[in-house]
């Protein structure tokens, strides 16, 4: 029997609901229970796939090819449970489902309304495919009080009523600000937020109070009294120095105990948080540090590369070093010499990206790394740029480019349809909707024996997640290999290059997929572990 935990947020946005949900998931697992996490997003986009990373941060991709909210990345990193297509839904998708049903005549001529039709569709989504897990944690995006999230809140209210309190719990995350002029913590915003929620028929069972200092007992008592929540169920959620500290911190404040108490569930054997302590211990006491330059386009908004910066951190955890990130806007290299920006770094990473702007600067970064023997990690677009760089500057194909940037006589990167006509496997096309023309989700890759990546992965074939439209053109394999670039990973049919490397470079690897999406703190991705290892070697040289 699955129990449902609904997580809402109030007062302000960006309180870290996603992290809070992920951390609770990890705590319940540490108590021996199984979990699945889900997110409801109130915006009207059908999925975040076409949203700018500046607006919404990274698009997280699941094995089954869903383009989802970045919070699903936190869920996976904290619980290790792979997310699925059905674990993220937006108002846009709910409405398109309801409207499609209406067009099909499913409502038999009835008037289609938010209640019950939209709320029913939401409830179906929340419960879809659930059954084997002990807990489903369902996070509601946005802030209580937003017009947009009203149908979601109404749906969880109904569901809470249908399931009863023994199978549902409402958790609400709020902020307790410290007003320095008064020298006081203020509980009023929390009271108002809970009042708003109550007005919608939802009484929270657990309150998570985000706060930057200790919560005095008197304030905790006051919140409990005014918000009608037991005092022990008012959990102070203090700022911590690492996100991986969060499960430990919440446990210390009694979160898992309160949740299990609510459901009248046994506490089980002692909670085992050793893996979290181990990670936090390593983060706190690094034995050295390395600096990695991340040369990208959306560098002003760190959330645009969330999984990437986490994965680099995991590589640091695996090697006991702190990883400092130098975020560099690649366009700089189109105006200024790269040397001054890259001379001191121990590794260069060019992440995924779209569009021509800044691409020349990324090609420059790849050239610098190749010529100067600096460790280079090219992810997706970063691999494509490294291949163009090799074609232009090593193989002498001066006009080599990607068809993503317009027509070129030498499409070393392009849509596969541009060189294989009538291939039935190939469904992407230049004219398809932007939202539907990508290679998305997990695909297998066969590794070339004896290559560097073969040693790193230590297995003959792998599966990694993709999100891209263009491919490295197999027709240029021979000429690129002659120039010294080895094709070290291919799709099983041998048509799509998945990994490239320079055998005679200290560490230069390009991958067409996104390894950062599968890295976890307690299971760092081997490519990131190896890249940071190479950066440590480099740091001894510079
Ligand atoms: N723009 C490139 C493509 O569509 C790379 C995408 C990416 O880096 N995720 O193939």
């Amino acid at each position: 029997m699955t129990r449902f935990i609904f997580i809402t947020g109030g007062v302000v946005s960006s309180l870290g609901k996603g992290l809070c949900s992920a951390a609770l998931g990890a705590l319940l697992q540490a108590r021996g229970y199984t979990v699945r996490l889900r997110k409801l997003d109130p915006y009207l986009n059908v999925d975040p796939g076409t949203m700018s990373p500046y607006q919404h941060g990274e698009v997280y991709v699941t094995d089954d090819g869903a383009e989802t909210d970045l919070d699903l990345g936190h869920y996976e990193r904290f619980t290790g449970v792979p997310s699925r297509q059905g674990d993220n839904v937006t108002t846009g998708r709910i409405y398109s489902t309801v409207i499609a049903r209406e067009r099909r005549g499913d409502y038999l001529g009835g008037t289609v309304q938010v209640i019950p039709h939209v709320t029913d569709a939401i409830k179906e989504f929340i419960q879809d495919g659930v059954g084997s897990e002990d807990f489903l944690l369902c996070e509601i995006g946005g802030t209580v009080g937003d017009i947009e999230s009203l149908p979601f809140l109404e749906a969880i209210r109904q569901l809470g009523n249908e399931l009863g309190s023994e199978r549902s719990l409402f958790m609400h995350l709020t902020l307790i600000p410290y007003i320095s002029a008064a020298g006081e913590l203020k509980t009023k915003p929390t009271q108002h937020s809970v009042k708003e929620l109550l007005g919608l028929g939802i009484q929270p069972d657990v309150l998570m109070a985000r706060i930057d200092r200790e919560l005095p007992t008197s304030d905790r008592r006051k919140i409990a009294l005014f918000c009608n929540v037991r005092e022990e169920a008012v959990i102070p959620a203090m700022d911590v120095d690492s996100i991986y500290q969060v499960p430990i911190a919440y446990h210390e404040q009694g979160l898992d105990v309160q949740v299990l108490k609510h459901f009248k569930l046994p506490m089980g054997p002692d909670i085992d948080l050793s893996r979290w302590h181990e990670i936090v211990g390593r983060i706190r006491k690094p034995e050295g540090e390395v600096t990695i330059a991340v040369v990208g386009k959306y560098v002003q908004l760190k959330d645009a590369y969330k999984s990437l910066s986490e994965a680099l951190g995991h590589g640091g955890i695996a090697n006991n070093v702190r990883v400092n990130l130098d975020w560099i806007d690649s366009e700089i290299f189109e105006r200024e010499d790269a040397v001054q920006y890259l001379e001191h770094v121990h590794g260069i990473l060019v992440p995924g990206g779209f569009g021509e702007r800044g691409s020349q600067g990324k090609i420059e970064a790849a050239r610098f790394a190749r010529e100067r023997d600096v460790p280079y990690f090219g992810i997706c677009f970063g691999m494509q740029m490294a291949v163009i760089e090799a074609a232009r500057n090593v193989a002498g194909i001066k006009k080599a480019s990607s068809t993503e940037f317009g027509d070129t006589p030498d499409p070393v990167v392009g849509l596969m349809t541009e060189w294989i006509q009538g291939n039935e496997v190939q469904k992407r096309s230049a004219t398809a909707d932007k939202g539907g023309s990508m290679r998305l989700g997990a695909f297998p890759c066969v590794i070339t024996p004896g290559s560097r990546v073969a040693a790193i992965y230590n297995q003959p074939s792998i599966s990694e997640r993709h999100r891209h439209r263009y491919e490295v053109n197999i027709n240029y394999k021979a000429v690129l290999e002659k120039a010294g670039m080895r094709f070290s990973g291919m799709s099983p049919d041998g048509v799509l290059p998945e990994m490239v490397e320079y055998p005679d470079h200290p560490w230069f690897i390009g991958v067409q997929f996104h390894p950062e999406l599968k890295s976890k703190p307690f299971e760092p991705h081997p490519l990131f572990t190896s890249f940071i290892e190479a950066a440590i070697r480099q740091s001894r040289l510079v």
Side-chain angles (χ1 to χ4, degrees):
M1 181 177 72
T2 305
R3 292 162 178 85
F4 292 78
I5 298 176
F6 300 108
I7 299 129
T8 54
V11 184
V12 291
S13 60
S14 303
L15 283 179
K17 263 195 318 263
L19 265 180
C20 174
S21 310
L24 176 57
L27 285 179
L28 291 168
Q29 280 183 324
R31 288 268 179 201
Y33 293 100
T34 57
V35 300
R36 171 159 293 282
L37 286 100
R38 239 164 218 187
K39 180 154 191 214
L40 309 174
D41 272 314
Y43 48 77
L44 281 167
N45 304 62
V46 171
D47 65 42
T50 51
M51 284 163 102
S52 159
Y54 277 131
Q55 298 225 352
H56 207 68
E58 157 190 284
V59 174
Y60 189 77
V61 181
T62 59
D63 276 333
D64 60 2
E67 296 180 282
T68 72
D69 185 82
L70 56 79
D71 277 329
L72 274 79
H74 288 311
Y75 303 167
E76 276 204 40
R77 282 188 285 276
F78 275 70
T79 65
V81 178
S83 303
R84 299 192 294 237
Q85 189 99 37
D87 292 330
N88 187 200
V89 82
T90 66
T91 298
R93 190 176 297 279
I94 296 284
Y95 271 84
S96 47
T97 309
V98 171
I99 291 168
R101 285 178 187 168
E102 188 273 335
R103 293 290 85 186
R104 249 194 344 248
D106 289 5
Y107 299 113
L108 305 172
T111 308
V112 183
Q113 295 179 299
V114 173
I115 305 170
H117 303 101
V118 169
T119 47
D120 278 353
I122 297 171
K123 287 192 285 182
E124 268 169 43
F125 163 78
I126 295 173
Q127 299 177 93
D128 187 42
V130 179
S132 57
E133 299 86 356
D134 296 322
F135 289 100
L136 182 94
L137 283 69
C138 182
E139 175 189 349
I140 322 296
T143 308
V144 169
D146 297 347
I147 290 176
E148 287 180 328
S149 51
L150 283 175
F152 286 135
L153 295 172
E154 168 59 15
I156 61 169
R157 180 198 67 75
Q158 292 176 18
L159 207 49
N161 196 30
E162 288 161 24
L163 294 166
S165 72
E166 55 289 353
R167 280 195 65 198
S168 65
L169 178 150
F170 292 99
M171 182 160 129
H172 188 55
L173 193 66
T174 72
L175 176 72
I176 316 268
Y178 179 77
I179 307 295
S180 48
E184 275 177 35
L185 284 163
K186 292 294 177 189
T187 64
K188 195 70 83 187
T190 297
Q191 296 177 39
H192 279 294
S193 180
V194 171
K195 207 166 159 187
E196 183 99 36
L197 208 49
L198 270 173
L200 299 168
I202 296 173
Q203 164 67 56
D205 303 295
V206 173
L207 275 180
M208 299 292 292
R210 295 283 285 111
I211 188 165
D212 68 354
R213 61 201 67 216
E214 295 277 338
L215 178 66
T217 316
S218 55
D219 282 324
R220 192 174 188 178
R221 202 166 290 152
K222 190 167 159 191
I223 296 169
L225 185 66
F226 282 94
C227 299
N228 197 25
V229 173
R230 278 179 304 108
E231 197 179 320
E232 318 84 77
V234 177
I235 312 281
M238 272 201 342
D239 295 346
V240 285
D241 48 14
S242 153
I243 56 170
Y244 300 120
Q245 170 80 24
V246 174
I248 299 170
Y250 288 2
H251 167 67
E252 282 166 359
Q253 299 296 342
L255 175 61
D256 44 319
V257 171
Q258 290 310 316
V259 168
L260 294 180
K261 247 190 180 165
H262 169 95
F263 288 115
K264 302 191 174 63
L265 282 169
M267 298 294 152
D270 271 358
I271 187 163
D272 180 11
L273 292 178
S274 52
R275 68 175 177 180
W276 298 102
H277 283 291
E278 162 84 22
I279 291 162
V280 171
R282 281 167 175 251
I283 292 173
R284 286 203 178 139
K285 288 200 190 64
E287 287 163 7
E289 56 186 317
V290 292
T291 301
I292 303 294
V294 180
V295 182
K297 182 151 91 175
Y298 316 105
V299 290
Q300 289 90 331
L301 182 75
K302 303 292 175 290
D303 266 2
Y305 300 109
K306 191 78 210 154
S307 295
L308 181 74
S309 46
E310 290 305 317
L312 284 162
H314 303 161
I317 294 173
N319 287 287
N320 275 321
V321 291
R322 186 200 327 276
V323 178
N324 305 315
L325 301 181
D326 258 9
W327 298 93
I328 303 176
D329 183 340
S330 62
E331 278 184 291
I332 290 179
F333 301 155
E334 294 168 14
R335 299 186 299 268
E336 295 173 44
D337 196 347
V339 177
Q340 53 182 317
Y341 294 95
L342 297 178
E343 215 165 25
H344 63 285
V345 304
H346 310 128
I348 298 171
L349 192 150
V350 176
F354 292 84
E356 188 168 18
R357 186 167 66 78
S359 59
Q360 194 51 44
K362 295 176 188 175
I363 292 172
E364 272 310 299
R367 187 178 62 80
F368 181 94
R370 177 179 57 78
E371 291 180 347
R372 303 251 187 156
D373 278 352
V374 179
Y376 177 88
F377 195 178
I379 293 182
C380 205
F381 201 62
M383 159 166 162
Q384 297 173 358
M385 296 307 105
V387 168
I388 293 174
E389 194 279 323
R392 285 184 191 171
N393 303 329
V394 188
I397 311 170
K398 290 286 166 248
K399 297 209 160 129
S401 188
S402 167
T403 55
E404 182 170 1
F405 313 147
D407 283 342
T408 163
D410 278 303
V412 292
V413 178
L415 283 180
M416 217 178 75
T417 45
E418 286 160 351
W419 67 87
I420 298 178
Q421 296 298 333
N423 182 315
E424 287 192 9
V425 186
Q426 176 54 25
K427 297 211 178 62
R428 286 163 288 163
S429 79
T431 50
D433 277 359
K434 280 272 183 282
S437 57
M438 287 211 245
R439 180 144 80 108
L440 281 170
F443 287 87
C445 160
V446 178
I447 300 183
T448 311
S451 60
R452 185 187 297 271
V453 286
I456 293 173
Y457 274 101
N458 201 20
Q459 44 190 13
S461 69
I462 52 165
S463 167
E464 293 279 6
R465 296 182 193 170
H466 289 247
R467 178 173 185 254
H468 57 102
R469 221 167 258 123
Y470 301 85
E471 306 281 353
V472 169
N473 189 340
I474 184 78
N475 291 341
Y476 290 85
K477 181 169 184 258
V479 53
L480 286 165
E481 289 204 316
K482 221 166 128 208
M485 179 171 259
R486 173 157 63 192
F487 284 54
S488 46
M490 299 294 294
S491 59
D493 60 4
V495 173
L496 304 173
E498 296 275 2
M499 295 196 268
V500 296
E501 62 186 42
Y502 287 119
D504 56 0
H505 185 286
W507 206 101
F508 193 110
I509 293 175
V511 296
Q512 188 54 75
F513 44 81
H514 289 276
E516 72 273 25
L517 301 177
K518 290 198 1 183
S519 187
K520 301 180 183 70
F522 38 84
E523 207 183 303
H525 192 288
L527 283 172
F528 283 93
T529 303
S530 174
F531 178 54
I532 298 301
E533 222 172 80
I536 297 171
R537 280 196 297 275
Q538 180 70 12
S539 72
R540 300 198 179 113
L541 300 176
V542 290

